[in-house]
Amino acid sequence: FAKAKGIVIGISGGLDSTLALLMSVYMCDRFNLPRTMIHGITMPAMGTSNNSLERSINLMKKLEIDDHLFDVNEEVAHHLDLIGHDGITKDIAYENSQARYRTLALMNYANANNSLVIGTGDMSEIALGFATFNGDHMAMYNVNSGLPKTAVRNLTRHFIKYYPEVSVELEDVCNAMISPELVSSAQSSEDFLGKYEINDFILYELLANGSSKERLVYLITELFKLNEIDAETYYDRFLR
């Protein structure tokens, strides 16, 4: 019904976008569609590391999709100047301007090429609200929305046997620190959110078992060897 002729994915070199790319390639192979219908776009900005950029380029080229590199530094800097931001202070506007500009570029490129934007945000990020509103939380179809972060990592590693040509890149992305890279490559998501393994456990226990706070705090202390105060902090932070 959408009459789309292609799909557009923002490739960051991180876990979520890598899995979205792999599933899209698998879809093309399964249904005998050309991989070039996948338009991969990597958009380095202020916080992007060389490792992530190199990974994203290698993934697109080795998987033989239609690959593009849009350097958005100048555009983001111009936008920050437009809204009166000094372009130096690394606050929430500094971070979100990068994410929102990337989504703007993806959406407009998709319109220009009769394509759908494939979302990459996973279930853990959606549950925790750890996404940029009107940025990476938006897409025309999201393949990761039902997968917690721990499953994203395991499934990405599982794809190595299907696509050994990118085995090095997939191992790298699975072993790399999880980071939005909006401030720097040293920006850790888990420093802010806590460990995804524990958050995903809380997510499962709440949705599947309807566990109470008392039960969850007890389970966290037993399974993850945390004290009761730290376990309560995880629970309270998750709900907040």
Side-chain angles (χ1 to χ4, degrees), residues 134-214:
N134 206 34
D136 59 325
H137 96 288
M138 295 187 68
M140 295 158 186
Y141 188 80
N142 189 337
V143 294
N144 292 339
S145 60
L147 296 171
K149 184 74 80 177
T150 45
V152 169
R153 176 179 275 120
N154 289 331
L155 190 52
T156 299
R157 185 168 276 117
H158 173 74
F159 266 107
I160 292 175
K161 70 178 183 180
Y162 292 103
Y163 302 110
E165 65 268 34
V166 289
S167 60
V168 172
E169 287 77 17
L170 298 188
E171 285 289 356
D172 283 349
V173 76
C174 287
N175 294 327
M177 177 182 69
I178 298 172
S179 172
E181 292 194 343
L182 294 172
V183 173
S184 74
S185 59
Q187 183 183 15
S188 169
S189 298
E190 290 184 308
D191 284 349
F192 180 75
L193 298 171
K195 293 185 179 299
Y196 273 110
E197 184 181 19
I198 301 176
N199 284 316
D200 288 350
F201 177 76
I202 296 172
L203 177 62
Y204 176 80
E205 282 294 322
L206 285 176
L207 293 185
N209 297 328
S211 294
S212 64
K213 178 176 181 177
E214 292 72 23

Side-chain angles (χ1 to χ4, degrees), residues 65-76:
I65 68 168
D66 179 43
D67 62 288
H68 302 270
L69 189 154
F70 298 165
D71 189 323
V72 300
N73 273 288
E74 187 175 334
E75 285 78 6
V76 173

Side-chain angles (χ1 to χ4, degrees), residues 39-59:
H39 305 287
I41 304 174
T42 189
M43 291 172 276
M46 294 83 153
T48 304
S49 69
N50 290 332
N51 288 339
S52 294
L53 178 58
E54 183 179 358
R55 261 200 311 269
S56 63
I57 292 172
N58 287 344
L59 283 166

Side-chain angles (χ1 to χ4, degrees), residues 2 33 38 45 93 104 181 188 210 232:
L33 298 169
I38 304 170
L104 172 70
E181 292 194 343
S188 169
E232 285 191 359

Side-chain angles (χ1 to χ4, degrees), residues 80 85-91 94:
L80 288 171
H85 193 282
D86 61 18
I88 299 172
T89 305
K90 296 180 179 180
D91 56 11
Y94 179 92

